[in-house]
Amino acid sequence: MSTALGLAWEPLVPGAPALVVGGAVCLAALVQLGRSSGRGRWAWAVRAAMAVLATVAVLGPGLPGERPTYAGRGELQVVVVVDRTVSMSAVDGAGGASRLETARADLLALPGLVPEGTRLALVQWGSVAQVALPFTSDLTAWTDAVGLLRRESPTEGTGSRVDRPLRLVERTLEEARAQYPDRHPTVLLLSDGENTAPGVQRSFAPLDELVAGGAVLGYGTEAGGRMPVEEGRPGAGWVPDRTRGGDAVSRRDTANLRRLADEIGVAYVDRSAGGPAAGLADLLEPPVRVEQGATVVERPLTWLVALLLLPFVLVDLRLGWRGLHEARRLRWAR
């Protein structure tokens, strides 16, 4: 649909054939006009005008306007970042569940909270950070990856910091944006927020420019809980506190989790009580994307052209009737 002469056009039939046929008829009328005289000349002039007006009407003229086109919601892609350090096995969750057990339950429920076709990626960290599952919409692959998620062994590291996966998450989001710029990137960070390694935690603010939503999910309690030596087997003993003696106790760092959420520009959600996580759906829902549509015919003017055509039709009928009447009169006169 294009604009010309300040008008928008919405042809009733393909524009090119309409112009060819209309031009041919008009040309034929003009040729006859040149060969005729008297009343016949007037008749062919009227027919040429009729051909022009009929062609314009078929081309569908109208006053131009622009209307927003609602393209619906963009495709969602979620980078899920999961803490699998030893502290995530602390058993201070609802019903004696560990933090990681509660987190796994939330991740298994995640596909039911996001639109169909959402692409999920899983990044996990303990002593090292790694991509456990690249972006995929395969729910079986997602379920399998979450089912394999385990905390690291107490002997694997000598402390951890929440910023350990930061660079990997940045790179994952940057590559996704470069490859699929139209998708809606979000992040879910699941952790207890506890830092046990020396050093200053890096800011997560760089993620604010890379994501359009998400949440930081906090697990555990500020009162804390003990961590079993063997995940899922509290009876096998507890991780010892080698500094103070006795059993080590891990406590959720709520202030740090809230700081992370503020730096990323997302919400903080306390998941220590477990249960349904339906509220996450609102935090991950991509916004409705509104695209400005092309020029459209806002007020059709075909009726006006047809109204202008009507007098010419009536004049042509009148001239034709007079010509027929005159031919009959001459025939009777013979």
Side-chain angles (χ1 to χ4, degrees), residues 188-262:
L188 279 182
L189 176 63
L190 292 72
S191 177
D192 54 27
E194 186 178 43
N195 288 325
T196 58
V200 178
Q201 177 179 292
R202 291 169 295 175
S203 171
F204 276 64
L207 298 188
D208 187 18
E209 299 297 323
L210 298 173
V211 300
V216 171
L217 310 186
Y219 296 86
T221 63
E222 294 181 4
R226 297 182 297 175
M227 298 152 285
V229 173
E230 296 183 29
E231 184 182 7
R233 294 184 58 192
W238 305 97
V239 173
D241 187 335
R242 294 185 174 86
T243 302
R244 301 183 181 86
D247 298 330
V249 175
S250 170
R251 294 176 175 82
R252 183 186 70 196
D253 191 338
T254 305
N256 192 30
L257 291 170
R258 290 188 181 277
R259 180 166 57 250
L260 292 174
D262 289 342

Side-chain angles (χ1 to χ4, degrees), residues 10-35:
E10 196 169 72
L12 304 180
V13 298
L19 287 172
V20 170
V21 173
V25 173
C26 184
L27 180 61
L30 291 175
V31 170
Q32 291 298 324
L33 174 64
R35 295 175 178 176

Side-chain angles (χ1 to χ4, degrees), residues 57-316:
V58 170
L59 291 177
L63 297 178
E66 287 189 353
R67 297 176 183 173
T69 301
Y70 292 86
R73 300 187 184 277
E75 185 177 4
L76 181 65
Q77 53 184 15
V78 186
V79 179
V80 180
V81 191
V82 185
D83 184 348
R84 58 178 289 267
T85 58
V86 176
S87 64
M88 285 294 284
S89 65
V91 288
D92 56 353
S98 74
R99 300 169 186 176
L100 195 55
E101 286 174 329
T102 306
R104 276 198 297 262
D106 285 345
L107 295 183
L108 290 175
L110 181 60
L113 303 177
V114 294
E116 185 178 355
T118 294
R119 298 170 63 83
L120 303 171
L122 182 63
V123 175
Q124 61 185 29
W125 91 91
S127 57
V128 296
Q130 60 184 151
V131 176
L133 182 70
F135 281 111
T136 181
S137 56
D138 186 337
L139 298 185
T140 300
W142 173 257
T143 301
D144 291 344
V146 172
L148 294 173
L149 184 61
R150 295 289 183 272
R151 70 132 204 222
E152 67 177 354
S153 168
T155 61
E156 286 186 44
T158 57
S160 64
R161 283 212 316 266
V162 179
D163 63 358
R164 184 159 290 163
L166 178 58
R167 293 292 176 254
L168 178 58
V169 174
E170 277 188 90
R171 187 164 64 249
T172 301
L173 286 167
E174 287 170 349
E175 291 173 354
R177 183 171 64 177
Q179 189 172 7
Y180 303 106
D182 294 334
R183 290 179 179 165
H184 182 74
T186 58
V187 64
L188 279 182
L189 176 63
L190 292 72
S191 177
D192 54 27
E194 186 178 43
N195 288 325
T196 58
V200 178
Q201 177 179 292
R202 291 169 295 175
S203 171
F204 276 64
L207 298 188
D208 187 18
E209 299 297 323
L210 298 173
V211 300
V216 171
L217 310 186
Y219 296 86
T221 63
E222 294 181 4
R226 297 182 297 175
M227 298 152 285
V229 173
E230 296 183 29
E231 184 182 7
R233 294 184 58 192
W238 305 97
V239 173
D241 187 335
R242 294 185 174 86
T243 302
R244 301 183 181 86
D247 298 330
V249 175
S250 170
R251 294 176 175 82
R252 183 186 70 196
D253 191 338
T254 305
N256 192 30
L257 291 170
R258 290 188 181 277
R259 180 166 57 250
L260 292 174
D262 289 342
E263 290 172 350
I264 302 173
V266 297
Y268 168 69
V269 180
D270 184 349
R271 293 296 300 149
S272 58
L280 293 180
D282 295 333
L283 300 175
L284 296 173
E285 186 175 41
V288 174
R289 182 170 49 197
V290 180
E291 296 179 353
Q292 191 69 30
T295 302
V296 298
V297 172
E298 194 166 81
R299 295 182 182 178
L301 298 179
T302 302
W303 64 273
L304 180 59
V305 179
L307 192 61
L308 294 174
L309 179 61
L310 181 59
F312 289 92
V313 173
L314 295 176
V315 169
D316 188 49

